[in-house]
Amino acid sequence: MTATGTTRTWAGSTLAERKAVRRAQLVAAGRELLGAGQAVTVRSVCRAAKLTQRYFYESFGDRDELVIAAFEAAAHEAVAAIVEAVAETDGRPESVARAGVRVAVEQTIDDPRRGQVLVVAPVSDPVLFAKRDEMLPVLTALFEEHIDSDAGDSELVASALAGALVHLFFRYLTGELRVERAAFEEHCVRLLLAGGAGWRRPSVDTG
Amino acid sequence: MTATGTTRTWAGSTLAERKAVRRAQLVAAGRELLGAGQAVTVRSVCRAAKLTQRYFYESFGDRDELVIAAFEAAAHEAVAAIVEAVAETDGRPESVARAGVRVAVEQTIDDPRRGQVLVVAPVSDPVLFAKRDEMLPVLTALFEEHIDSDAGDSELVASALAGALVHLFFRYLTGELRVERAAFEEHCVRLLLAGGAGWRRPSVDTG
DNA sequence: GGAAACTGACAACGATGGTAGTCAGTTACT
DNA sequence: AGTAACTGACTACCATCGTTGTCAGTTTCC
C-alpha cells in the first residue's frame, strides 16, 4: 500500500490530524485572549497559538469565525455542566433553579476566564454579542421545561429574564455589584422561579 | 473700543460662537452616523459635518469623547420627556409606570434614530455601552422614587430591571421580538410595578 | 536520491484610522 | 495697505489590520 493524499504522515500524524491540532490551538488561543480581555486579531491569535498566519486560513474564513468558535467552546462547557446538574435534581422547580444558578455561577464566576468569554467579552464585540443572543434561548428553554410559569407571553418573559440575568452576571463579574454571593444566587433563583420575578408581591397585587 | 481676543468677529460671529456651532455640528453628525448604524471615526464624522479634521480637535480630545457627547444629547431628550410625563401623572405607581413606558417607547421606537443611538449602538461600541450603563441608574431611580417595592435588595432589583428592560427594548427595536406594541408596553409596565416582576405568581408562592 | 508535500519565517500590498502640519485664500482690525 | 487671525483643502506620517505570496529548510514517499 502506498501512502497517498491524506494518509501521508509528517512527524507521525496525517494532514487531517495536524489540521485538527492546529485548529484546536487557534481556538484555545482565542479563548485565552478573550478571557484576558485582549483583542483577537488574526495576528494576535496566531502569535498566541505560536502558528504562522498561513495556518489561520486553513480552518477559518475570518477572524469572526474563530471568535465564534472560541465562544462556542466555552458556552458548551457551561451548558453541559448546567444540564448535568439539572438532571441530577429531583425535578422540582426550586431544585432545578438552585442547581442551574449554582452551576452557572461556578462556571462563570469561579472560572473568571470563562466568565470573561461568556459574559464580558460580548459587550465589546458585536460578533459575540450576537452569538450569545442566539444561544440564550437554549438556556431559557432548559428552565422553562422544568419551571411552570403562568406569567404571560413566554417570549416577553424569556427576553426579560435573559436580559435580567445577563446584566446581573455582568455587573457581578465586573465587580460593580457589591453583594454577597449567596444573595446574588438567591436573587437569580427567585428570578427563575417567577419566570423573571425576584419579588414576592407586585404592588398591584396588594392594591 | 477695539475688538480684541474673543470679541473679534468673522462673518458676524465671535470665535466662541463659531466653536460652539462647529461643536454642535459635530455632535449632530455623530448622532446621525450612530442613528444610521454607521461607524463613527474622526474622518467620517467630519465628513458628515462638512468640517475639516482640524476642527475636530477644537472640541474633542478623541473620538470617544464625541461619541459620548452624541449619546448624551439623545439620552437627555429621552430622560427629559420621561420626567415631564411622570410629573404630569397623579403620582400613583401604575400611572407613573404607564407614562414612563409610553414615553420611553415613543422616544425610542417612534424615533428610530434616537432608538438606534440609545438602545442598539451600545451593543457594538464599548464606549457607549459603558456610558449607558452609567446612566441607567438615573432612570431606575426615577421609578423607584414613585414605585414602592418591597422586593428585596434594591441594587439587585434595579440591575435585574435595567437588564430586562434594555434587552426587551433592544429585541423589540431590532424586530426580533414579534409582539403587539400594547403587549410590549403592558409587559414593561408590569416589570416596573413589580420592581421587575412581570409575572403574577411565582410558582413557590402557590406550592 | 529526487521530487513533492509540508513547515516556519517573513515580506508585500492595500485599506483604514488617528493625529498634526502646511499653504493659499479670506476676513477683520488698525 | 499691512498684518494677524481664521478658514478650507490637503498632505504627511505612523500604526494596525487583513490577506496573500515567496522562500529556504524539512519530511516523506517512491
Side-chain angles (χ1 to χ4, degrees):
Chain A
M1 270 299 193
T2 62
T4 58
T6 59
T7 57
R8 170 179 177 145
T9 60
W10 174 277
S13 55
T14 63
L15 178 60
E17 285 165 344
R18 293 194 301 281
K19 276 185 179 179
V21 167
R22 283 191 288 259
R23 189 183 195 283
Q25 285 174 316
L26 288 166
V27 170
R31 281 187 70 172
E32 282 302 302
L33 290 172
L34 284 174
Q38 285 164 24
V40 179
T41 62
V42 174
R43 282 177 163 95
S44 72
V45 80
C46 291
R47 199 158 44 226
K50 296 182 166 62
L51 293 170
T52 73
Q53 280 162 236
R54 310 189 311 94
Y55 291 120
F56 182 89
Y57 300 98
E58 181 182 72
S59 299
F60 306 101
D62 57 21
R63 172 255 177 211
D64 291 355
E65 215 179 297
L66 179 275
V67 149
I68 287 169
F71 182 88
E72 279 177 340
H76 286 150
E77 286 168 8
V79 171
I82 293 169
V83 168
E84 184 182 345
V86 165
E88 289 171 359
T89 64
D90 55 22
R92 285 185 306 128
E94 183 157 344
S95 304
V96 168
R98 286 194 184 283
V101 169
R102 174 177 53 82
V103 173
V105 169
E106 282 166 10
Q107 289 286 313
T108 52
I109 285 147
D110 289 344
D111 185 334
R113 289 228 170 219
R114 193 190 290 113
Q116 182 77 14
V117 173
L118 298 178
V119 177
V120 181
V123 165
S124 47
D125 191 326
V127 173
L128 292 183
F129 182 93
K131 188 68 202 174
R132 188 179 63 183
D133 217 40
E134 186 188 305
M135 291 182 81
L136 279 173
V138 174
L139 264 191
T140 53
L142 174 68
F143 292 115
E144 276 173 63
E145 191 185 324
H146 288 91
I147 301 174
D148 186 26
S149 170
D150 59 353
D153 189 303
S154 67
E155 198 179 6
L156 282 166
V157 172
S159 288
L161 179 59
L165 288 171
V166 164
H167 194 56
L168 283 170
F169 271 75
F170 176 81
R171 296 195 73 231
Y172 192 69
L173 249 191
T174 54
E176 286 173 52
L177 201 44
R178 304 291 178 81
V179 295
E180 295 290 335
R181 179 174 172 143
F184 176 73
E185 292 186 357
E186 186 64 27
H187 196 73
C188 295
V189 170
R190 283 181 174 283
L191 276 172
L192 281 171
L193 289 178
W199 302 276
R200 295 288 179 79
R201 292 282 183 271
S203 325
V204 289
D205 284 336
T206 57
Chain B
M1 269 303 197
T2 61
T4 57
T6 57
T7 56
R8 169 180 176 144
T9 60
W10 175 275
S13 57
T14 64
L15 178 60
E17 284 165 345
R18 294 195 301 281
K19 276 187 179 178
V21 167
R22 284 191 289 257
R23 188 182 195 281
Q25 285 174 317
L26 288 165
V27 170
R31 280 186 72 172
E32 282 303 304
L33 290 172
L34 284 174
Q38 285 165 23
V40 178
T41 61
V42 173
R43 284 181 162 97
S44 73
V45 80
C46 290
R47 198 158 43 229
K50 296 181 166 63
L51 292 170
T52 75
Q53 279 162 239
R54 320 195 293 103
Y55 290 119
F56 182 91
Y57 300 98
E58 181 183 70
S59 298
F60 305 100
D62 56 20
R63 172 255 177 213
D64 289 356
E65 214 179 300
L66 178 275
V67 149
I68 287 169
F71 182 88
E72 279 177 340
H76 286 150
E77 286 168 9
V79 171
I82 292 169
V83 168
E84 184 182 345
V86 165
E88 289 172 359
T89 64
D90 57 21
R92 284 184 306 127
E94 183 156 342
S95 305
V96 167
R98 286 194 183 284
V101 169
R102 174 177 54 79
V103 173
V105 169
E106 282 166 9
Q107 289 286 312
T108 53
I109 284 145
D110 290 344
D111 185 333
R113 288 227 172 222
R114 194 188 292 113
Q116 183 78 14
V117 173
L118 298 178
V119 178
V120 182
V123 165
S124 47
D125 190 326
V127 173
L128 292 183
F129 182 93
K131 188 69 201 173
R132 189 181 63 184
D133 218 39
E134 185 188 306
M135 291 182 82
L136 279 173
V138 173
L139 263 190
T140 53
L142 175 67
F143 292 115
E144 275 173 64
E145 191 185 324
H146 288 91
I147 303 174
D148 186 27
S149 172
D150 59 352
D153 189 302
S154 66
E155 196 176 10
L156 282 166
V157 172
S159 288
L161 179 60
L165 289 172
V166 163
H167 195 55
L168 284 169
F169 271 75
F170 176 80
R171 297 195 72 232
Y172 192 70
L173 248 190
T174 54
E176 286 173 52
L177 201 45
R178 303 291 178 80
V179 294
E180 296 290 337
R181 181 173 171 145
F184 176 73
E185 292 187 357
E186 186 63 28
H187 195 74
C188 294
V189 170
R190 283 180 174 281
L191 277 174
L192 281 171
L193 290 179
W199 302 277
R200 298 284 179 82
R201 292 281 182 276
S203 325
V204 290
D205 282 337
T206 56

